[in-house]
């Protein structure tokens, strides 16, 4: 979702800020400078945190025209990791992500709207558990510039909250656990 997302998930991520020319970026998967994390209430008593370890994506970013920016992310749902093997197995089951039928989640942006200096709402279609729904990621530009290896990078973070039932995840975890927050952080390498 994400921006770059789930984006996730995802996500997704965000596209606002920086330099005055349009550019295409690949999410830095190899250097692991990107994260699609989530948190959900556990019975209303604490937070359960997790991450998706395998996702890939790209974005185009034009600081002079942020509304022309685009995001595309594909996420391997079986890569979910909550630091507890039995829970991860349950999350992969038909009760939640149903990874045997829906091994990937995708996010494709449909619009980007500036909301302030260095911030934007990224609207897009999130496909998760075989269901496609529009989501909005509140995104923030972190920074951009040359890296020590001769490349050029741009980084964003974003958040969105999903209702589990919207994506046919109907396992009853109680009223405190009906939504999950996605926290997306990406660094892209200009292509």
């Amino acid at each position: 979702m994400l921006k770059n997302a789930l984006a996730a998930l995802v996500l997704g991520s965000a596209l606002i800020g920086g330099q005055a020319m349009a550019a295409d970026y690949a999410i830095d998967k190899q250097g692991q400078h990107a994260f699609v994390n989530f948190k959900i209430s556990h019975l209303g008593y604490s937070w359960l945190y997790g991450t998706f370890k395998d996702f890939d994506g790209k974005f185009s970013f034009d600081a002079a025209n942020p509304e022309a920016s685009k995001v595309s992310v594909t996420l391997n749902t079986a890569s979910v990791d909550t630091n507890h093997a039995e829970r991860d197995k349950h999350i992969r089951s038909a009760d939640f992500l149903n990874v045997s039928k829906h091994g990937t989640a995708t996010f494709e942006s449909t619009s980007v709207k500036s909301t302030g200096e260095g911030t934007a709402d990224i609207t897009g279609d999130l496909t998760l558990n075989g269901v496609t729904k529009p989501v909005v990621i509140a995104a923030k530009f972190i920074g951009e510039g040359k890296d020590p290896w001769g490349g050029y990078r741009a980084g964003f973070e974003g958040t969105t909250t999903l209702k589990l039932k919207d994506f046919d995840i109907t396992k009853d975890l109680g009223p405190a656990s009906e939504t999950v927050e996605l926290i997306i952080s990406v660094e892209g390498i200009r292509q």
Side-chain angles (χ1 to χ4, degrees):
M1 137 153 336
L2 313 175
K3 154 126 187 148
N4 287 287
L6 189 253
L9 297 218
V10 253
L11 296 55
S13 226
L15 301 176
I16 303 306
Q19 131 187 49
M21 68 181 231
D24 293 328
Y25 292 81
I27 293 175
D28 186 7
K29 178 182 173 180
Q30 183 177 2
Q32 197 55 45
H33 293 113
F35 301 89
V36 176
N37 299 325
F38 61 89
K39 76 177 190 176
I40 187 168
S41 175
H42 183 254
L43 306 173
Y45 307 137
S46 65
W47 291 105
L48 182 144
Y49 292 87
T51 192
F52 290 92
K53 294 190 166 227
D54 183 16
F55 64 95
D56 204 359
K58 60 186 178 180
F59 59 89
S60 64
F61 174 61
D62 184 349
N65 184 14
E67 288 78 11
S69 300
K70 295 181 191 245
V71 181
S72 176
V73 176
T74 300
L75 181 139
N76 175 356
T77 56
S79 72
V80 66
D81 184 350
T82 65
N83 203 28
H84 189 275
E86 284 303 308
R87 178 175 45 231
D88 295 345
K89 183 178 175 183
H90 190 203
I91 292 171
R92 291 181 189 110
S93 78
D95 282 346
F96 295 99
L97 296 177
N98 201 5
V99 302
S100 65
K101 287 188 177 179
H102 307 291
T104 60
T106 60
F107 177 81
E108 293 287 337
S109 64
T110 55
S111 70
V112 175
K113 181 181 177 188
S114 295
T115 57
E117 187 176 330
T119 62
D121 283 343
I122 301 171
T123 301
D125 293 326
L126 173 63
T127 301
L128 175 65
N129 195 29
V131 177
T132 302
K133 295 274 185 183
V135 299
V136 178
I137 298 169
K140 180 180 177 184
F141 174 69
I142 302 300
E144 68 178 321
K146 294 179 181 179
D147 65 27
W149 309 280
Y152 194 90
R153 295 172 182 256
F156 303 88
E157 67 180 8
T159 60
T160 192
T161 300
L162 307 176
K163 290 183 181 179
L164 298 180
K165 287 183 180 179
D166 286 351
F167 294 92
D168 285 346
I169 300 171
T170 58
K171 180 74 173 171
D172 186 3
L173 301 172
S177 305
E178 293 176 349
T179 61
V180 61
E181 182 181 354
L182 294 177
I183 306 106
I184 304 134
S185 177
V186 299
E187 188 173 297
I189 303 170
R190 190 166 65 191
Q191 301 298 291

